[in-house]
Amino acid sequence: MPLEKWMPLQESISLKNLFKNISPLGTSPGVVVASPSQQNPDYWYHWVRDAALVMDLIVDQYLKSQNPELKARYLNAIWDYVNFSHLNQHTPTPSGGPGEPKFHVDGKAFVGPWGRPQNDGPALRALTLIKFARALISETKAEEAWRLFGIIKYDLEFVSHHWTEPCFDLWEEIKGQHFYTLIVQYQSMISGAAYVSLVGDSGAAQWYLEQAKKMENVLERHWDKRNSYILSTLNRVGGIDYKKSNLDASVILGVLHANTDSVFAVDDPRVESSLLRLKQTFKALYSINQSGPEGVGIGRYPEDKYDGYSSSGEGNPWILITNGFAEYYYRLAKRYQERGMILVTPLNQSFFKDLGFNLSNGNLKKEDRVFKSLIERLRAEGDQYFIRVKYHVDSDGQMSEQMNRWSGFLQGARDLTWSYASFLTALSHR
């Protein structure tokens, strides 16, 4: 099936299957289960991070929907999530704060051994709820928007006072200081400052901006000049010790989920250099990338041992990351189109060469003949990642967590909510 025909079909399937994982039967209203899989692996939990990313998509759907019935459905789902988030914030947990990574589907704390805290969750939840609050304000529903203030402020205060502390990364494997965590925390401070300013909390706004400035300085330390890519973790204090390269696709997800206008934005040559290194590494590493469609299946990091069932196997390409790479190219094309200029430096020359363009250092302007061709090529490259995913998903559109690196068959948690959300988010940027 051609890509143009497949995308709208997969969009419908993804939205339907994603919604099945929001407040499913037997769970509390507002729960976003990571997957319906309850054994081998057991993902029948509400992860704060995953839920925030999924509900961010639902807020976007609410904003763009013209169907009153659908719009009401999205709105109800968001309010259920708001109420469940408030419950999470005030439930005693082993980590003792909003950095607790996951909860049982009835809202009770998960008290078993786990990689905790994970301090990206509060930042992502704040960003999602700020977007929702702003939507309500724009609809002149200020009173309803005010109901969100305490929940958002709780997370912002936590981030602003605890961002320097080590925590576990989004893959729940390493304790230290992580690029992904820090860049979403940075953006939560920027967005949070603008949000609290709306309600006259100028003192908090100033404090958040001060923290953002400090975060920006620390983020810069993640850039490795010698290897020309962004290091995923600094100052490791625990967790796995075999991730020697410190090369991780989470840095690209961080760039996408934070969506900053300044530090490590999508068109930062350092981000382009990092993405190319990841692409080249996984293209050579996974057998499936040597056959089938041109698009490259992207995994977490080259030393990965988690195969979707245990951490004693071999890592595989992940659907949500491969979709993320599609989103990256779509966003980059849009950013360049809006700016009407492409900055070429020694850091991103290889990135453009990989796309078939030998460019000299300097500014490539909209009037230049090659500009339009490059924009089209970026979009086509994004499509290649969608084609790779399309090649491996089930005929019924079911998206699992991973694609086997040798056979290409789906494995790991079935119907992964984040996989569907990543496809829908990438498609919206296409």
Side-chain angles (χ1 to χ4, degrees):
M1 184 188 298
L3 186 67
E4 295 292 340
K5 258 191 167 180
W6 174 77
M7 286 185 297
L9 288 175
Q10 187 62 47
E11 180 181 21
S12 176
I13 293 167
S14 295
L15 199 51
K16 180 183 173 186
N17 288 351
L18 179 144
F19 242 104
K20 285 180 183 176
N21 292 346
I22 298 174
S23 306
L25 195 64
T27 70
S28 292
V31 162
V32 180
V33 294
S35 159
S37 178
Q38 296 184 43
Q39 56 182 357
N40 195 31
D42 184 3
Y43 279 28
W44 188 247
Y45 294 96
H46 174 98
W47 264 271
V48 175
R49 170 184 45 258
D50 299 36
L53 294 168
V54 170
M55 295 312 296
D56 185 75
L57 168 76
I58 298 299
V59 173
D60 286 339
Q61 294 288 328
Y62 167 75
L63 286 168
K64 73 179 186 183
S65 178
Q66 300 298 314
N67 182 319
E69 195 178 317
L70 261 182
K71 205 169 179 73
R73 188 184 181 194
Y74 295 137
L75 189 61
N76 287 336
I78 298 165
W79 278 117
D80 283 344
Y81 167 71
V82 169
N83 295 331
F84 191 73
S85 295
H86 183 260
L87 174 68
N88 294 161
Q89 287 178 337
H90 297 283
T91 297
T93 63
S95 61
E100 188 65 28
K102 68 177 186 178
F103 291 81
H104 288 289
V105 297
D106 60 359
K108 289 177 183 169
F110 174 81
V111 297
W114 209 253
R116 54 169 68 88
Q118 293 174 30
N119 293 343
D120 55 344
L124 290 164
R125 182 167 56 199
L127 286 168
T128 294
L129 294 183
I130 288 169
K131 182 189 284 188
F132 180 47
R134 285 186 169 277
L136 293 174
I137 291 166
S138 71
E139 294 171 349
T140 63
K141 297 175 181 175
E143 201 171 308
E144 289 183 47
W146 180 249
R147 287 171 55 192
L148 299 166
F149 183 76
I151 302 170
I152 295 169
K153 188 79 185 292
Y154 188 92
D155 282 339
L156 294 177
E157 286 297 301
F158 175 81
V159 171
S160 71
H161 287 95
H162 296 272
W163 68 269
T164 58
E165 297 169 7
C167 65
F168 275 84
D169 65 321
L170 78 166
W171 307 136
E172 309 186 305
E173 294 179 330
I174 299 178
K175 192 173 187 181
Q177 174 202 306
H178 314 290
F179 179 86
Y180 177 90
T181 304
L182 193 55
I183 197 167
V184 297
Q185 287 176 325
Y186 166 84
Q187 189 56 32
S188 76
M189 293 291 94
I190 297 293
S191 298
Y195 167 70
V196 297
S197 292
L198 285 176
V199 295
D201 196 348
S202 57
Q206 185 180 344
W207 165 250
Y208 297 156
L209 290 175
E210 286 170 5
Q211 301 317 300
K213 188 62 186 171
K214 291 176 183 176
M215 290 176 183
E216 194 171 334
N217 294 333
V218 178
L219 279 167
E220 292 291 339
R221 296 177 201 161
H222 283 262
W223 172 244
D224 183 344
K225 284 183 183 176
R226 187 170 62 87
N227 289 305
S228 296
Y229 61 79
I230 300 163
L231 302 175
S232 60
T233 300
L234 299 179
N235 307 318
R236 175 191 165 274
V237 294
I240 63 167
D241 61 359
Y242 52 79
K243 193 171 168 183
K244 304 300 183 187
S245 67
N246 220 346
L247 177 70
D248 193 311
S250 65
V251 302
I252 304 303
L253 297 183
V255 168
L256 296 175
H257 297 162
N259 194 26
T260 77
D261 287 326
S262 52
V263 59
F264 291 106
V266 290
D267 58 344
D268 188 318
R270 295 172 297 179
V271 175
E272 293 167 329
S273 177
S274 301
L275 183 133
L276 177 61
R277 185 64 169 270
L278 285 158
K279 176 188 174 182
Q280 292 171 336
T281 299
F282 289 118
K283 187 173 185 179
L285 186 63
Y286 298 144
S287 178
I288 61 167
N289 288 332
Q290 269 78 68
S291 60
E294 286 180 33
V296 177
I298 306 292
R300 301 193 300 177
Y301 53 92
E303 303 89 346
D304 196 2
K305 295 181 181 180
Y306 180 63
D307 63 6
Y309 308 108
S310 77
S311 294
S312 56
E314 293 179 308
N316 298 300
W318 282 43
I319 287 178
L320 72 90
I321 303 173
T322 307
N323 283 336
F325 270 52
E327 179 185 341
Y328 177 82
Y329 281 97
Y330 297 145
R331 279 199 183 194
L332 186 60
K334 187 179 178 185
R335 176 70 68 103
Y336 283 146
Q337 189 89 48
E338 287 171 350
R339 291 214 169 150
M341 187 192 77
I342 297 171
L343 175 65
V344 183
T345 77
L347 277 178
N348 60 9
Q349 276 182 321
S350 295
F351 174 83
F352 294 123
K353 190 174 182 181
D354 179 66
L355 296 169
F357 295 83
N358 287 304
L359 303 176
S360 303
N361 292 337
N363 290 328
L364 184 66
K365 296 181 179 174
K366 208 168 190 173
E367 304 78 53
D368 294 321
R369 193 176 56 179
V370 75
F371 184 94
K372 186 181 177 185
S373 300
L374 182 49
I375 298 297
E376 288 172 356
R377 181 68 190 88
L378 286 168
R379 289 174 178 147
E381 179 71 9
D383 283 352
Q384 290 296 336
Y385 291 94
F386 265 179
I387 290 168
R388 169 58 66 183
V389 169
K390 170 182 172 289
Y391 185 74
H392 296 283
V393 298
D394 285 358
S395 56
D396 61 359
Q398 188 269 136
M399 287 184 171
S400 295
E401 182 182 68
Q402 303 179 26
M403 306 172 279
N404 186 279
R405 72 197 297 177
W406 302 104
S407 69
F409 288 113
L410 299 183
Q411 67 184 59
R414 65 183 175 87
D415 289 302
L416 193 77
T417 319
W418 192 353
S419 290
Y420 293 124
S422 67
F423 171 77
L424 292 164
T425 304
L427 187 64
S428 71
H429 288 285
R430 188 183 188 272

